[in-house]
Amino acid sequence: MSIVEVRPEKRKKNIIISLAIAVAVIVAVGITVAAFLGAFKSDKPSLSLIGKSRVELEVLTEYEDAGIKATIGKEDITDKVSCKNDVDTKKVGEYEVIYSYEHKGEVYSQKRTVKVVDKTAPKLTLNGKSEITVSLLKFYKEPGFKATDTYDGDLTKSVKTTQTKINKETYEITYTVADKSGNETVKTRTLIVRDKVKPVISLNGQEYVYIELGGKYTDKGARASDDVDGDITQKISKSGSVDTNAEGTYYIKYSATDKNGNKATATRKVIVFNYNPSNKNRVFLTFDDGPSSNVTPKVLDVLKENDIKATFFICNYADDKKPLIQRMINEGHTIGIHGYSHDYAKIYKSDDAFMKNIYRLRDKLKADFGYEATLIRFPGGSSNSISKNYNNGIMGRLVKRVEAEGFIYHDWNVSSNDATGTTVKTKIIINATINTLVKKRNNVVLMHDSSSKTTTAAALPEIIVRAKQKGYIFLPLTPDVPPCHHSVTNK
């Protein structure tokens, strides 16, 4: 046996080759194992939440879930993942959104927590002004408030109020309301206690007084009251005088001042007029059933253009008609009462029902304008027979009762015939009025200014012209004018 000697250089080369082969084997084996393990790993589903795993949401708002991403290896299986979503956005609480996917008998899942919360404070609204002034603290009346919550609903009854004195005359009212989740809203109102209210002066008798030249004027005085001082009638001072021997308009002025220096004034207008002794041809234009928005202004315009004062027997009026009544007062017309209601069945069912109907309108005129109405006209006139359908003999009793209670009732002796139809021709109204006037007497003309009586307003200018041409003068009815009465039938 021979021994081959291996040189060192060759031995070194062999070692290097052997090492390279070993590394190659190891690498190959490693790749195979990695590939094997990778293949094994990709066989499991991967579920990943999009967005946060915990979400906070305001109650009663819409919830939109961000979703999930699911894969097996490089395969997208998102659309195969089932989702259980029990989020109730209408109710405060904590809810779960669960995503799951079953693979080879095993369930893979991810979970998102949604917390529905109420962090919105209630809405609190104060009625009235944010700053209110009263003469005395006891006069303060809470204007009210309203509290609502998007989740709890109406919380008005839960509002708590506290009153804090800031200084001698200033108070702060605090309004607080909290919902069930503890969200709170606070508002304040300033209350100032300071007497800035003027006294109220009420005239005894009419604001406009008509006295015939040479007659006697007796002032009926006035009353004064103050919200703090009470009755201060004794503090009224009066100025002005009336010379009944000289035609003209006179003014009697009343003034009163309360303890805090608030001053009120009121004026009575006294008109001294001359009935020409040789001319007793008087016309009293009267208008029933108003006021109306379309006819009454036209009537007032015609009267103003001709410097004529008339009498309006009015019915109940809405707020939008108040300016018309104020205009009647300002322009010197007489306001009489036709009745709060014109419903025959209601007002003539009993004596008391009729009187309440009169007093109700009288009190409203007094409250709204300080006007003392004493003249009335029965709906249908005192001679009406329709009242017999509701109460036999009622008119015989009422004509006595109204006078006993201080009222003066007026019928008419000239009819314009404008009530014979809805819209009577202008010519008919003119002729019916002019042809019925009688010289040397008080001619009380019945007309109407309700909304349908447009031709009455149209006829008025010619009636005035023709009556003046015949020597008539126009005057308003006053308590001093002898009333025109019909013969009562239902008595």
Side-chain angles (χ1 to χ4, degrees):
M1 179 178 178
S2 62
I3 299 172
V4 179
E5 182 179 357
V6 181
R7 295 179 181 180
E9 294 82 1
K10 190 174 183 180
R11 184 183 298 119
K12 184 177 179 180
K13 183 178 182 181
N14 291 338
I15 292 172
I16 291 171
I17 293 171
S18 298
L19 288 173
I21 293 171
V23 170
V25 171
I26 291 171
V27 171
V29 172
I31 291 173
T32 303
V33 171
F36 173 77
L37 291 175
F40 179 78
K41 183 178 179 181
S42 66
D43 190 45
K44 293 182 179 180
S46 174
L47 279 68
S48 301
L49 292 174
I50 298 174
K52 298 179 180 180
S53 61
R54 289 189 64 84
V55 176
E56 192 173 274
L57 179 71
E58 182 68 19
V59 69
L60 300 176
T61 60
E62 187 177 352
Y63 173 65
E64 293 184 5
D65 193 77
I68 195 168
K69 178 71 174 178
T71 59
I72 296 180
K74 294 183 178 181
E75 180 186 358
D76 189 333
I77 61 167
T78 302
D79 59 347
K80 297 179 181 179
V81 175
S82 61
C83 176
K84 181 182 179 183
N85 182 348
D86 64 350
V87 178
D88 185 357
T89 60
K90 296 180 180 179
K91 186 176 181 181
V92 171
E94 195 166 282
Y95 304 90
E96 291 183 343
V97 179
I98 301 174
Y99 301 90
S100 59
Y101 180 75
E102 185 176 350
H103 182 66
K104 294 183 178 181
E106 188 174 350
V107 176
Y108 298 83
S109 65
Q110 282 285 6
K111 179 177 68 174
R112 191 193 315 275
T113 301
V114 179
K115 188 176 182 180
V116 178
V117 298
D118 176 17
K119 291 187 176 181
T120 302
K123 181 180 180 181
L124 179 58
T125 303
L126 302 184
N127 299 335
K129 298 179 179 179
S130 59
E131 182 177 297
I132 296 177
T133 300
V134 294
S135 300
L136 292 174
L137 186 60
K138 66 179 182 179
F139 292 160
Y140 174 69
K141 293 183 179 180
E142 172 58 49
F145 42 79
K146 179 74 174 179
T148 56
D149 185 70
T150 54
Y151 184 55
D152 296 336
D154 191 344
L155 293 177
T156 302
K157 292 183 179 180
S158 301
V159 176
K160 297 179 180 179
T161 62
T162 56
Q163 191 179 95
T164 305
K165 188 173 184 179
I166 306 301
N167 53 45
K168 183 179 179 180
E169 62 176 24
T170 306
Y171 294 78
E172 185 176 82
I173 303 174
T174 303
Y175 305 80
T176 306
V177 63
D179 61 20
K180 294 178 182 178
S181 299
N183 302 301
E184 187 177 82
T185 300
V186 179
K187 286 198 173 183
T188 60
R189 193 196 311 271
T190 301
L191 176 61
I192 298 174
V193 181
R194 183 188 304 151
D195 185 6
K196 297 195 305 181
V197 179
K198 296 179 181 180
V200 176
I201 298 179
S202 302
L203 299 180
N204 297 326
Q206 299 294 324
E207 181 179 359
Y208 289 86
V209 177
Y210 293 84
I211 301 293
E212 190 169 0
L213 187 67
K216 182 181 179 182
Y217 173 70
T218 302
D219 191 77
K220 294 184 178 180
R223 306 176 306 280
S225 62
D226 184 69
D227 60 345
V228 174
D229 301 341
D231 188 347
I232 58 171
T233 300
Q234 72 281 0
K235 291 187 177 182
I236 292 178
S237 60
K238 184 176 71 171
S239 63
S241 61
V242 178
D243 183 359
T244 59
N245 293 314
E247 285 186 76
T249 300
Y250 301 85
Y251 299 92
I252 306 297
K253 295 183 178 180
Y254 309 83
S255 63
T257 304
D258 65 19
K259 292 179 181 178
N260 287 286
N262 300 302
K263 184 178 180 180
T265 61
T267 303
R268 191 193 311 276
K269 185 182 291 187
V270 181
I271 300 97
V272 177
F273 58 91
N274 181 20
Y275 281 144
N276 188 333
S278 62
N279 184 358
K280 296 293 184 179
N281 308 322
R282 304 164 183 171
V283 175
F284 297 86
L285 297 175
T286 69
F287 299 87
D288 289 7
D289 298 349
S292 63
S293 300
N294 59 325
V295 175
T296 304
K298 295 178 181 178
V299 170
L300 288 170
D301 289 344
V302 173
L303 295 174
K304 186 175 183 179
E305 290 170 5
N306 290 274
D307 193 25
I308 288 175
K309 312 302 180 187
T311 305
F312 293 84
F313 288 101
I314 69 170
C315 295
N316 182 35
Y317 52 88
D319 286 346
D320 65 326
K321 304 298 189 305
K322 286 183 180 179
L324 288 174
I325 296 176
Q326 187 63 63
R327 181 181 173 186
M328 294 175 190
I329 296 171
N330 294 343
E331 295 181 1
H333 302 291
T334 297
I335 298 178
I337 298 171
H338 203 33
Y340 194 89
S341 169
H342 200 290
D343 188 330
Y344 291 116
K346 291 180 179 179
I347 65 176
Y348 288 131
K349 69 179 180 180
S350 70
D351 299 20
D352 286 343
F354 180 84
M355 295 310 300
K356 288 178 181 177
N357 187 52
I358 295 298
Y359 279 114
R360 189 176 181 185
L361 185 54
R362 185 206 66 171
D363 293 345
K364 185 174 181 179
L365 282 168
K366 186 175 180 180
D368 289 343
F369 308 101
Y371 190 89
E372 296 273 358
T374 58
L375 307 186
I376 73 167
R377 173 169 285 164
F378 292 104
S382 64
S383 61
N384 82 83
S385 58
I386 193 171
S387 58
K388 193 171 184 178
N389 296 331
Y390 313 106
N391 193 313
N392 189 33
I394 190 172
M395 295 311 303
R397 299 189 300 271
L398 286 180
V399 293
K400 297 177 181 178
R401 181 166 175 178
V402 294
E403 290 182 338
E405 296 190 24
F407 295 100
I408 302 170
Y409 78 90
H410 285 264
D411 290 313
W412 59 91
N413 52 19
V414 177
S415 176
S416 66
N417 284 343
D418 65 350
T420 57
T422 302
T423 306
V424 180
K425 291 182 179 180
T426 303
K427 186 176 181 180
I428 293 176
I429 296 173
I430 294 170
N431 290 336
T433 303
I434 295 299
N435 295 338
T436 319
L437 296 178
V438 177
K439 294 288 184 72
K440 297 183 180 181
R441 77 166 184 179
N442 290 342
N443 294 277
V444 181
V445 183
L446 173 65
M447 308 180 90
H448 298 80
D449 62 327
S450 52
S451 59
S452 63
K453 304 304 177 183
T454 54
T455 53
T456 299
L460 190 56
E462 187 169 342
I463 290 174
I464 293 172
V465 170
R466 289 176 60 178
K468 284 184 175 180
Q469 289 173 346
K470 290 177 176 291
Y472 290 95
I473 59 174
F474 292 87
L475 296 165
L477 292 174
T478 70
D480 299 323
V481 175
C484 173
H485 288 172
H486 291 169
S487 176
V488 178
T489 56
N490 181 25
K491 60 182 177 179

